[in-house]
Amino acid sequence: MGALPRKRTLVNGERNPVEAAVPARSPIGNTRDRVLEEIAVHINGDTDIVAARQKGRVLAGTLGFSSSELTLIATAISELARNIVLYAKQGEIVLRVLERGEQRGIMVRAGDQGPGIPDVRRALQGGFSTSRSLGLGLPGVRRLMDEFEIESRVGYGTTVTARKWKR
Amino acid sequence: MEVPILKQGPYLIASIQSALSDADLVQLRDALVEQVGRLRSRGVIVDVTALDVMDSFATRTLRDITFMIRLRGAETVIVGIQPDVAFTMVQLGLKLEGVPTALDLEEGITFLSKKDGSPAKETNSRER
Amino acid sequence: MVNEMRESREARTTFGAAHQMTAPTAELLRQLVAHLRQNRTQLREEWARRITEAKLLTAMTKEEIFAEATSVYDNYVEALETGTFEALQAYARNLSERIIPRGVETHEVVGIVLLLRDVLARSLFAKYQNDFALLNRILDAYEPAANRIANTVAVGFVQERERVIREQQEAIRVLSTPVLQVRERLLILPIIGVIDPQRARQLTEQLLRGIRTNRARVVVIDITGVPVMDANVANNLVQTVEATRLLGATVIITGLSPEIAQTLVTIGVDLGKMNTVGDLQGGIEEAERLLGYKVVTFTESADHALRA
């Protein structure tokens, strides 16, 4: 599977041009980030959505984010976890505390092996949805976080990675 | 976790105590829509003070509750949205359009009593 | 003896050059320091005179310049002698702290340090002009230390200035978004100056918290003092209004200038749901009406008082 070409869309990642050069197979896409802590939450149903966002809030809280930023992060996690439940039934949310140079931040990666998104660009436009969500999930998360990447292949699954840096 | 629904005169008050799963929210919606008819309530207050996240699903469910209850002949008001939550909601584009909001329970009751013309306490109008 | 002195000096030194310092260099610096001590009065007078002549530090009086010149001079000589810069650095920061509020500019500070360097170099030249080889060696020992000192003072000043600017920006930010309670349940947010995304965010957070703590029902946002508004700022404003409504309060916007009104319409901001009133006074009256207060104009109340 690793040998298959993957469709990879980079969004908001411009601040780090190195990212684009990272092989598509690399799981997270940024080799310059140092991982200080990692939590994985298995997503199997809607109660896991609540668990994932609560864990994310606590983890981000250790970085000293403001309360409104913590709410933004928790909400982004909620949206990503819900996409997994809605479209793929199950998957995983990985939460990481990152260090990039002087900056620290939190990374949220939502991964599943669901049906994949046929038209990623369209899914990132506001208002588009193939399911019962409002269609605001992905563009909304992109607005809430500083960096946003999505990698999806029909029939194989979707991985969304989003980061927010402490200002 | 089930949300307790209290009957307070002509109104129903649903006071959310902790984070809710999607299923809890749907359960709340169904219970309110059912009880508002059975108890012949004129208004519903959903207190979300305890919610630290209102994502697209929660927002949509609250909107559904409001519209369904309106179709059942009663008015709904959402009270207690936290500043941080409101800030996040507008960034997500979740505006709760067509859904009345009020600061807290007291304000919610004032709003409903004004709405249905009952002479309930008017905490705020005074002459100068 | 010389070797001992060098060792003790090196032990305290903080600048790299000193580590390669040879015994003769150390001896030369010692001679130099002795010369500067002996001629302290004359040299700092000469320096202060040159500062005034060059029209530097114009914000300060002659006496102040002389007093500061004396302190800088002594710290300067000490730095040359010991090779340690902490005292000079601390003094530079302290000096900057005092003179920055008086409007002293970076070029002035750099200017006076370069002048001191020049005054001292000339004095060394006068003293050693008969022994050109010795003069050269003295200058070789003096130059790196003098450059390092000039650098320390200038960098200290710039850092202090940046710190002051940051502090001022923060203070302005807080001051320029005051959430004022004019009466029960009514807040006023007069926005003055340019709004950038960061400020818009702070402003919204402050307002939302203010609504909750004051249990506000109506908020008047006055943007008379906002000079320009682009699509981003307009959208931020719309978001602020929406978030306020989610809390259960109503926003009234006042002071939309003709230019901003035109911009908003041109970029297609949806103002349909926005409650706008011409000026702040009108906005407050509208707010009072929403709150159920009866608005009594001054003439009416005066009439009433007369009749009563």
Side-chain angles (χ1 to χ4, degrees):
Chain A
M1 172 172 152
L4 289 167
R6 280 207 166 190
K7 181 155 61 181
R8 184 179 175 84
T9 309
L10 280 168
V11 183
N12 292 1
E14 287 80 359
R15 84 153 86 172
N16 177 23
V18 173
E19 246 171 36
V22 170
R25 264 181 288 126
S26 126
I28 305 290
N30 198 312
T31 48
R32 288 196 305 161
D33 295 345
R34 217 156 69 86
V35 180
L36 303 181
E37 209 178 328
E38 178 176 307
I39 299 175
V41 185
H42 190 70
I43 303 294
N44 206 11
D46 67 344
T47 50
D48 298 326
I49 301 174
V50 178
R53 73 184 182 218
Q54 282 171 345
K55 289 208 166 81
R57 182 187 279 269
V58 171
L59 192 64
T62 64
L63 285 169
F65 280 108
S66 74
S67 74
S68 70
E69 286 170 322
L70 292 178
T71 305
L72 294 179
I73 292 164
T75 309
I77 295 170
S78 196
E79 295 291 329
L80 292 175
R82 175 162 296 99
N83 280 347
I84 293 177
V85 175
L86 283 180
Y87 298 100
K89 306 291 179 240
Q90 59 172 332
E92 191 182 48
I93 295 275
V94 176
L95 304 161
R96 285 184 175 174
V97 174
L98 297 182
E99 192 176 70
R100 184 186 294 172
E102 299 277 289
Q103 278 185 311
R104 284 195 175 194
I106 188 156
M107 183 211 79
V108 182
R109 186 187 54 176
D112 66 57
Q113 293 173 353
I117 303 169
D119 189 343
V120 170
R121 296 238 167 250
R122 255 188 87 206
L124 288 174
Q125 286 159 13
F128 167 74
S129 173
T130 56
S131 183
R132 31 185 202 109
S133 101
L134 275 180
L136 285 161
L138 290 180
V141 172
R142 189 177 157 190
R143 275 198 294 273
L144 297 184
M145 304 291 278
D146 293 333
E147 292 170 19
F148 182 94
E149 294 153 36
I150 177 167
E151 192 178 342
S152 188
R153 193 158 175 261
V154 174
Y156 288 88
T158 303
T159 302
V160 178
T161 309
R163 298 182 196 84
K164 192 163 190 75
W165 300 102
K166 173 87 184 65
R167 268 174 249 277
Chain B
M1 178 178 291
E2 210 164 297
V3 178
I5 299 172
L6 305 171
K7 187 175 183 310
Q8 175 93 34
Y11 308 131
L12 292 181
I13 300 172
S15 186
I16 297 171
Q17 307 292 326
S18 64
L20 296 183
S21 71
D22 295 2
D24 297 333
L25 278 161
V26 171
Q27 190 273 335
L28 173 66
R29 180 195 70 195
D30 295 348
L32 282 174
V33 176
E34 188 268 323
Q35 289 185 30
V36 80
R38 183 159 54 80
L39 302 170
R40 307 191 65 223
S41 300
R42 289 207 301 269
V44 172
I45 297 170
V46 182
D47 187 351
V48 298
T49 309
L51 287 188
D52 66 347
V53 167
M54 295 244 286
D55 61 11
S56 55
F57 188 83
T59 308
R60 196 175 61 122
T61 309
L62 290 176
R63 208 183 49 174
D64 289 353
I65 289 174
T66 307
F67 293 170
M68 287 176 188
I69 283 173
R70 200 169 283 157
L71 291 172
R72 302 271 278 156
E75 193 62 33
T76 304
V77 57
I78 309 297
V79 306
I81 298 179
Q82 295 296 319
D84 292 342
V85 173
F87 186 68
T88 302
M89 286 171 72
V90 297
Q91 294 206 14
L92 268 176
L94 306 169
K95 303 177 217 169
L96 275 179
E97 272 169 299
V99 179
T101 50
L103 190 76
D104 52 22
L105 205 55
E106 190 186 329
E107 287 286 298
I109 291 172
T110 308
F111 169 83
L112 287 178
S113 55
K114 256 188 198 164
K115 202 78 181 169
D116 70 5
S118 70
K121 54 179 175 175
E122 272 282 337
T123 52
N124 240 67
S125 72
R126 67 200 66 171
E127 289 245 320
R128 275 253 149 155
Chain C
M1 173 67 195
V2 169
N3 269 329
E4 258 178 52
M5 265 187 62
R6 186 172 69 90
E7 269 170 34
S8 68
R9 190 178 296 140
E10 275 190 2
R12 281 181 290 153
T13 197
T14 58
F15 68 113
H19 291 291
Q20 293 116 40
M21 206 183 271
T22 54
T25 310
E27 170 54 26
L28 289 173
L29 272 181
R30 203 185 54 77
Q31 263 192 43
L32 181 66
V33 167
H35 169 72
L36 298 182
R37 288 247 158 86
Q38 270 161 26
N39 297 284
R40 178 172 178 262
T41 308
Q42 182 228 321
L43 285 173
R44 73 201 151 115
E45 269 168 13
E46 166 69 4
W47 184 33
R49 193 185 60 73
R50 291 275 305 274
I51 292 173
T52 318
E53 206 178 82
K55 297 207 179 0
L56 293 172
L57 303 181
T58 46
M60 296 163 75
T61 65
K62 258 196 177 134
E63 291 71 31
E64 284 174 320
I65 292 178
F66 190 70
E68 299 292 359
T70 302
S71 299
V72 176
Y73 187 91
D74 291 344
N75 276 292
Y76 193 100
V77 175
E78 199 197 310
L80 275 178
E81 184 180 31
T82 63
T84 60
F85 290 83
E86 283 88 356
L88 182 67
Q89 228 161 13
Y91 179 76
R93 219 170 282 142
N94 174 285
L95 172 70
S96 308
E97 212 173 295
R98 279 180 284 121
I99 61 179
I100 285 168
R102 306 182 56 175
V104 174
E105 299 289 337
T106 312
H107 76 88
E108 294 183 275
V109 170
V110 174
I112 64 164
V113 179
L114 292 180
L115 274 181
L116 177 59
R117 200 168 159 265
D118 187 59
V119 167
L120 300 188
R122 277 169 198 272
S123 135
L124 292 174
F125 191 79
K127 184 177 159 81
Y128 296 106
Q129 58 183 336
N130 294 328
D131 187 345
F132 203 71
L134 180 60
L135 173 66
N136 263 337
R137 280 165 50 219
I138 288 266
L139 287 179
D140 281 349
Y142 170 67
E143 286 278 330
N147 287 344
R148 178 72 195 247
I149 290 169
N151 196 36
T152 301
V153 173
V155 168
F157 181 84
V158 169
Q159 279 173 347
E160 179 62 23
R161 208 173 131 92
E162 281 170 355
R163 193 186 63 78
V164 168
I165 290 171
R166 268 197 305 277
E167 267 180 20
Q168 284 172 344
Q169 280 173 338
E170 193 49 39
I172 288 167
R173 219 168 253 148
V174 173
L175 273 178
S176 56
T177 56
V179 180
L180 312 168
Q181 181 170 30
V182 278
R183 58 169 67 193
E184 221 186 311
R185 323 306 292 274
L186 172 56
L187 295 182
I188 293 185
L189 178 70
I191 308 178
I192 295 157
V194 177
I195 312 177
D196 56 31
Q198 199 202 343
R199 190 170 168 220
R201 182 196 172 87
Q202 266 173 332
L203 195 144
T204 307
E205 285 184 22
Q206 249 180 302
L207 178 64
L208 296 180
R209 299 228 160 86
I211 289 170
R212 216 157 166 83
T213 36
N214 296 297
R215 301 192 75 237
R217 228 190 223 173
V218 185
V219 179
V220 180
I221 301 181
D222 183 61
I223 58 168
T224 311
V226 178
V228 283
M229 192 172 283
D230 59 13
N232 268 335
V233 175
N235 282 326
N236 280 322
L237 188 64
V238 172
Q239 283 191 349
T240 307
V241 173
E242 283 166 354
T244 304
R245 193 197 77 80
L246 288 176
L247 259 62
T250 306
V251 175
I252 297 168
I253 300 210
T254 64
L256 272 165
S257 68
E259 293 80 17
I260 291 180
Q262 220 163 30
T263 314
L264 295 183
V265 172
T266 312
I267 61 184
V269 172
D270 183 11
L271 288 168
K273 285 168 224 111
M274 276 209 204
N275 200 347
T276 54
V277 175
D279 61 5
L280 184 57
Q281 181 58 37
I284 293 174
E285 282 169 15
E286 170 68 8
E288 289 175 335
R289 199 186 58 73
L290 288 175
L291 286 167
Y293 292 111
K294 186 168 175 261
V295 178
V296 180
T297 62
F298 175 72
T299 44
E300 263 179 67
S301 58
D303 281 357
H304 191 73
L306 282 174
R307 261 179 247 141

